[in-house]
Each structure stands twice: as structure tokens, then as C-alpha cells.
Amino acid sequence: MLDIKVIRKDPAAAKTSLAARGVKAEEIDKLLDLDQQRRTVLTQTEKLKAQRNEKSKQIAQAKRNQEDAQDQIQAMKVVGEQIKNLDAKLAEIDQAMEYILVRLPNFPDASVPVGPDESYNVEVRKWHEPRKFDFEPQAHWDLGENLGILDFERASKVVGSRFVYYMDQGAKLERAVYNFMLDEHEKDGYTEVIPPYLVNADSMFGTSQFPKFTEDVYTIIDEDRPLTLIPTAEVPLTNYYRGEILSEDQLPTYLTALTPCFRSEAGSAGRDTRGLIRMHQFNKVEMVKYCKPEDSFAELEKLTANAESILQKLELPYHVVALAGGDASFSSAKTYDIEVWMPQQKTYREISSCSNCTDFQARRSQIRYRDAQGKLHFVHTLNGSGLAVGRTVAAILENYQCADGSVEIPKVLVPYMKGITKLSK
């Protein structure tokens, strides 16, 4: 959530910055108008409360002196009613302000490419040239089905579209991929966590999925305690310290987790209907960081490098893209997407998204730290996929395929596959 003080201090800069995220200037004007009303009402309330306190002392003194204080008491009843009405108005204004504030995205950093959509994204770097095939490469779903390791048809029968059964060596490959990732992240200083896969509405609010993106998730309807299946481990990991004050020496904190992720994929009808790219349920290894504000952009570079190192060790070609303001996620101040090469489609596809959310999530979640002087500050939070496991499996199948439909196993995964070096029928 944005700091109203920052918007109030420089409305023009706030409008310009948020315009890149699709926010209309009228929304900022409405917010600032409410803010002015709030301060006016608050001033009136404080004056009346001060007057009431002073008169209460005078009434008490009059009673001690056995003097008639009925007129003053009646006057204070009128003041009390005025205060009650103003407090109600203040609560109404606060609610209206919060409605706007919680729906405003984060300010994009000055280094973020300016533009409304992905066509304005900028390639930052590229690693490894794509392999040149001497045969027409197959799609990963065809490879997986022919090898008997991916079964989309039966998953569709049991659940519906965008689900899959990993079978036999396919299940082993998926497990090998995420175990490799977790081991690598441990070397990079991350603490492994197995978090809850269900979270409450406060947690979804804290990481900005609620209230704006309720249609993108699966929520269990329960009048007493509605819970949501996590769309990413970012939610339980970032909310781990929700409502807490950390000590400065706890920062930075690095957490990583393998979890299933559940997404409704609202609005994606007709997109990636085949294969492992856009699923309703998939595994992902997530990285989350808490750090001091002055360190967060350096930590973003390190976070991105941690995700890249996985692809480099798997020897999968990729490039890194800086997202334009209009293409970045709601809570992000700056995002790098890592896109892996998919030979059959002859294009790069997103496999990781690494974001610095600055203090945006920390304000919503009330996560602060106390510095050496005892002063409180909001932490900065970062998150990144390290990596999306199913997409990594898809990339391995396509990039390591052979002409006969078999698939070689990347060298670093062979120990995790109990020595298996090739998948074949």
C-alpha cells in the first residue's frame, strides 16, 4: 500500500508515476480531496475534544464548589453529540480513502522502462545461444505423452482442463528438478520452509492479491473461516512476519519453499491450452527476502542471479527482461522476468519473475524493524520464482530432446534421477 504522505507531498509526481501503471489522475485527485476533508474534520474534532476536556474540569470544579453547572453540562452534551457526528464522518472518510489506497499499485522505480504493456519491455541480457536442431523439435506435451510420463487426458477426465498426471519417470524428473533447486538455494543462504497451502484473507491482503484479484484464486467458502489455496508461496512466506517488529540484525532474511500453486487463470481462455505452461495447479520453488530499504535493489539483482544460476546449471538458454511499468505486477516497484527458450514455439517463455516490492507489502502487512537508534522502519520485501517447476520440466523436454523422441537428462540432475541419463519409451 502506498504512503498517503508521499502522494500528498508531490501529487504531480504521484500522478505521473502511477499513470504508467494505468491509474487515472482523477483517482489521485479524489484521494487527495478525501485526505483534505479528513484533516479538516480531524482538526475540528480535536478542538472540540480539547474544549470538552477543559469544560469537564470546570464542571468538576463547580461541583466541588457546590455551584450550579447545569448550563455547562447541557452545552457539553451538545459538544459530545458534535464529536460523535464528526467521528462518524471521519470513519466514513477513512473507509473511502482505504478503498482507493488498497487498489492503487506500487510506484514503479525510476529505472523501470516506461510503457503500458509488454511491448515496452527491455531485454537486459541473454545467456547461451539456443540449440540448432537437425530435425523438427516436438512440443513438450507430445514428447511427454509419447514417453508415457505426462497424462493430460486422464487428468482432464478426473478434474478438467489444465491439469496433468506426472507418471513414473516424469514424476521422478519433476521431483529431481525441485530438489535440485532447493539444494542450490540453500547454498545461496535461503532457509527452506514448508508453509501452509491455505491462507486467510488478511494474508492475501498483505501480499496484494486481495481485494483486487479475488477472481484469480480458489477460495474455500466457509462462513466462519474462508480460506484461499495459495497462488504462490510468496503469500505464506511474506506473511510469516506479518504484524511483527524485527530487529535490525535479522535483516536480510532469505526464505525458500516448494509448494503447489493454485490459480484460476481467469482471463486466459484460449491461451496455452496444451502443455505445462499455464496450469490450474503446478509446483513452484519460491524465494522471498526481507531487507532494509537501502539494500533492496541490490538484493533484487542477487535474487535474479539466484534464479538464473539454476538455468545456467541446467544449461537452458534464457534471457532476462526488465518489465515496463504497465506490465509489472500490482505490488512491484521493479521486476525482471527470466524467459527460457522453447524450441518448438521458437520463442522465450517466462519461467521466473523476480520483483522488488519495496515497502508496499510491508505497509499492508505491518512488517517493520527497529534500527540501532530504536527508530521503526518498514522492511522491503522481494520475491522470485526459483523456478516454476513444470515450466522447467517443459524446457528440459524440449531442449534436451533427441530425434527418436527420447530426452537426455541434464548432467546436474542425473544424481537426483538415481543415475538415469535418458528418458525413453
Side-chain angles (χ1 to χ4, degrees):
M1 190 158 63
L2 298 177
D3 185 352
I4 184 63
K5 294 176 185 176
V6 173
I7 299 173
R8 185 193 302 147
K9 183 178 179 181
D10 194 341
K15 289 177 184 178
T16 301
S17 184
L18 291 176
R21 308 296 301 272
V23 177
K24 295 180 180 178
E26 290 80 2
E27 281 295 288
I28 306 302
D29 289 335
K30 184 177 179 181
L31 178 66
L32 290 170
D33 180 58
L34 288 165
D35 180 53
Q36 183 57 55
Q37 291 180 44
R38 184 184 188 280
R39 286 186 288 159
T40 299
V41 172
L42 192 60
T43 299
Q44 294 171 346
T45 304
E46 288 172 348
K47 284 182 179 178
L48 287 172
K49 287 179 179 178
Q51 180 184 339
R52 183 176 62 182
N53 290 340
E54 182 60 33
K55 286 295 182 182
S56 294
K57 292 177 184 177
Q58 294 175 9
I59 290 168
Q61 184 60 48
K63 287 182 177 180
R64 284 195 293 271
N65 296 338
Q66 296 184 341
E67 297 172 355
D68 183 11
Q70 284 304 310
D71 289 346
Q72 291 172 302
I73 292 172
Q74 285 301 120
M76 282 305 96
K77 285 182 178 179
V78 174
V79 171
E81 192 63 28
Q82 291 174 328
I83 291 171
K84 181 180 176 181
N85 291 337
L86 288 171
D87 283 344
K89 186 172 180 60
L90 193 62
E92 185 181 320
I93 293 170
D94 284 342
Q95 186 176 11
M97 286 183 66
E98 184 180 9
Y99 183 89
I100 296 173
L101 274 170
V102 301
R103 287 165 174 79
L104 291 178
N106 201 356
F107 291 124
D109 184 66
S111 63
V112 169
V114 177
D117 55 46
E118 63 183 14
S119 66
Y120 291 83
N121 295 347
V122 176
E123 184 181 79
V124 177
R125 55 185 168 271
K126 184 184 290 185
W127 188 87
H128 210 52
E129 284 300 315
R131 170 186 167 192
K132 289 181 170 57
F133 290 84
D134 55 9
F135 60 91
E136 188 63 31
Q138 297 183 61
H140 67 273
W141 54 84
D142 289 329
L143 287 162
E145 288 176 337
N146 292 336
L147 289 168
I149 63 173
L150 298 177
D151 194 332
F152 296 97
E153 185 177 348
R154 287 187 175 89
S156 180
K157 173 186 69 176
V158 172
V159 195
S161 62
R162 300 186 192 268
F163 289 90
V164 67
Y165 278 101
Y166 285 88
M167 303 301 296
D168 192 25
Q169 292 184 347
K172 289 184 178 66
L173 179 58
E174 174 98 352
R175 179 155 49 93
V177 167
Y178 62 64
N179 281 334
F180 167 67
M181 291 177 185
L182 290 171
D183 286 349
E184 291 300 306
H185 293 327
E186 182 181 14
K187 294 175 187 176
D188 291 327
Y190 291 83
T191 298
E192 184 179 350
V193 179
I194 299 178
Y197 302 157
L198 288 161
V199 293
N200 58 29
D202 288 341
S203 296
M204 292 294 284
F205 175 82
T207 45
S208 310
Q209 279 82 10
F210 284 0
K212 192 172 177 62
F213 302 106
T214 54
E215 65 180 15
D216 296 331
V217 296
Y218 294 107
T219 296
I220 298 171
I221 304 301
D222 184 326
E223 291 183 4
D224 297 323
R225 189 177 61 161
L227 296 173
T228 297
L229 288 162
I230 60 171
T232 164
E234 172 197 345
V235 181
L237 293 183
T238 304
N239 278 279
Y240 184 72
Y241 287 120
R242 176 160 54 87
E244 296 186 31
I245 297 174
L246 309 180
S247 59
E248 190 171 9
D249 60 11
Q250 288 179 269
L251 302 175
T253 289
Y254 298 174
L255 303 177
T256 188
L258 161 74
T259 67
C261 303
F262 304 91
R263 299 184 184 179
S264 69
E265 292 296 343
S268 67
R271 297 174 59 195
D272 299 312
T273 54
R274 300 192 69 186
L276 300 170
I277 299 299
R278 198 175 299 277
M279 307 290 284
H280 290 310
Q281 175 192 319
F282 59 93
N283 288 323
K284 180 157 67 79
V285 174
E286 187 75 4
M287 302 175 290
V288 162
K289 293 185 175 187
Y290 302 82
C291 69
K292 292 190 285 188
E294 61 267 28
D295 299 331
S296 65
F297 284 98
E299 290 289 355
L300 175 61
E301 300 301 323
K302 290 166 64 177
L303 179 78
T304 308
N306 295 152
E308 287 183 69
S309 70
I310 301 295
L311 290 171
Q312 290 174 11
K313 289 172 182 176
L314 290 170
E315 298 185 75
L316 291 170
Y318 69 87
H319 71 170
V320 179
V321 176
L323 298 194
D327 193 35
S329 69
F330 182 79
S331 59
S332 170
K334 184 173 184 176
T335 296
Y336 292 118
D337 269 7
I338 304 173
E339 299 179 337
V340 69
W341 178 255
M342 300 297 287
Q344 192 272 339
Q345 296 181 41
K346 296 180 175 59
T347 191
Y348 290 98
R349 299 301 303 268
E350 180 196 333
I351 197 167
S352 175
S353 191
C354 299
S355 299
N356 180 5
C357 298
T358 58
D359 63 357
F360 190 82
Q361 292 177 328
R363 286 183 181 277
R364 297 168 79 101
S365 301
Q366 287 297 298
I367 309 170
R368 295 172 292 174
Y369 76 96
R370 195 181 303 276
D371 66 20
Q373 288 71 46
K375 188 175 179 180
L376 290 176
H377 309 269
F378 285 105
V379 303
H380 279 199
T381 61
L382 300 92
N383 63 79
S385 312
L387 306 160
V389 181
R391 294 187 179 198
T392 306
V393 169
I396 290 171
L397 293 177
E398 291 201 14
N399 283 278
Y400 280 86
Q401 64 180 291
C402 303
D404 63 0
S406 62
V407 175
E408 294 180 353
I409 300 297
K411 292 176 183 176
V412 292
L413 295 184
V414 171
Y416 293 89
M417 292 289 290
K418 299 182 179 180
I420 296 172
T421 60
K422 181 178 281 191
L423 303 179
S424 55
K425 288 186 180 180

